Amino acid sequence: MTPAIAAIIWAIGLVAWVAIRLPYRRRARRLRVVRARRDLTERIVLPLAGIGLSVVPTVYLLTGFPAFADYRFQPWMGWAGAVAQLAFLALFYASHRQLGRNWSVTLEIRDEHRLVTDGLYRYVRHPMYSSFWLWGLAQLLLLPNWLAGPAGLVGVAVLYFARVGSEETMMRQTFGDAYDAYASRTGRIVPRIFG
Ligand code: SAH
């Protein structure tokens, strides 16, 4: 494992992210939105997450900036990063498939929105956000730079903490007791182990 291979593994994650999302974005555009939360936080945190997960690392890989923050690459980091990247892609792909027409980039409820409680959603309420955390971890492990490496995790943290509460409020307003019952038996991003 070399820094160049680690960089390629990171880039494959970015390309796969766009490719997996594309059909869902297209479909979502055609479905009527009945409830949306597009507040200021949503408008700020989404671009911030995108900067941390794609712009900062892309600039780093293309230009080497910021070189002063480079540190020595260790092969084990590349291997661990590859495992995290694979886990990210598997969860990202599966959660899109299982959410199907209920998926959206921003917080939205669509016409005939169904509360998904099966597949990954049987164990966790936010498997796609679990995948984002893994993606941030993969970036940290794959890019040996004190700024470009953790930038993804910072972006994910901002997005996750700014959004997850309002997303659950929106789901509660839409699905009422059914969501409360669902929330009581699931974890947010990791499965509940103790009852
Ligand atoms: N937070 C989820 C989904 C992210 S996509 C995850 O991490 O997997 C965001 C959209 O998914 C929101 O607009 C919301 O309408 C929808 N959503 C979230 N949880 C859902 C569920 N259990 N069933 C159906 N739609 C859901």
Side-chain angles (χ1 to χ4, degrees), residues 104 106 108 113-114 116 121 126-129 167 170-171:
S104 52
T106 54
E108 290 172 341
H113 202 112
R114 182 174 76 86
V116 177
Y121 290 86
H126 306 286
M128 200 175 291
Y129 299 159
E167 178 166 335
M170 180 185 81
M171 296 300 283

Side-chain angles (χ1 to χ4, degrees), residues 10-146:
W10 178 83
I12 289 172
L14 188 67
V15 172
W17 171 59
V18 175
I20 291 171
R21 279 235 148 139
L22 209 62
Y24 294 90
R25 278 192 95 109
R26 284 219 185 102
R27 174 151 64 159
R29 261 190 231 126
R30 292 200 302 267
L31 298 167
R32 202 165 65 89
V33 175
V34 294
R35 173 175 277 153
R37 286 175 85 101
R38 273 205 202 111
D39 49 20
L40 198 62
T41 22
E42 271 289 298
R43 267 182 235 164
I44 293 171
V45 298
L46 261 183
L48 270 182
I51 290 170
L53 287 161
S54 59
V55 180
V56 173
T58 301
V59 168
Y60 170 68
L61 289 177
L62 293 180
T63 69
F65 175 83
F68 69 85
D70 278 344
Y71 61 86
R72 235 176 101 88
F73 179 80
Q74 307 283 342
W76 72 264
M77 292 171 51
W79 291 111
V83 171
Q85 186 78 299
L86 260 179
F88 152 63
L89 286 174
L91 268 184
F92 189 68
Y93 176 74
S95 51
H96 276 81
R97 273 199 74 124
Q98 291 167 5
L99 262 191
R101 69 184 298 289
N102 306 296
W103 174 85
S104 52
V105 177
T106 54
L107 297 185
E108 290 172 341
I109 297 292
R110 294 209 138 66
D111 218 11
E112 292 177 44
H113 202 112
R114 182 174 76 86
L115 177 63
V116 177
T117 60
D118 46 12
L120 295 167
Y121 290 86
R122 188 167 157 197
Y123 306 101
V124 280
R125 303 197 283 291
H126 306 286
M128 200 175 291
Y129 299 159
S130 316
S131 82
F132 288 175
W133 282 106
L134 284 167
W135 191 17
L137 178 67
Q139 181 176 325
L140 177 74
L141 291 164
L142 292 169
L143 307 184
N145 182 279
W146 290 116

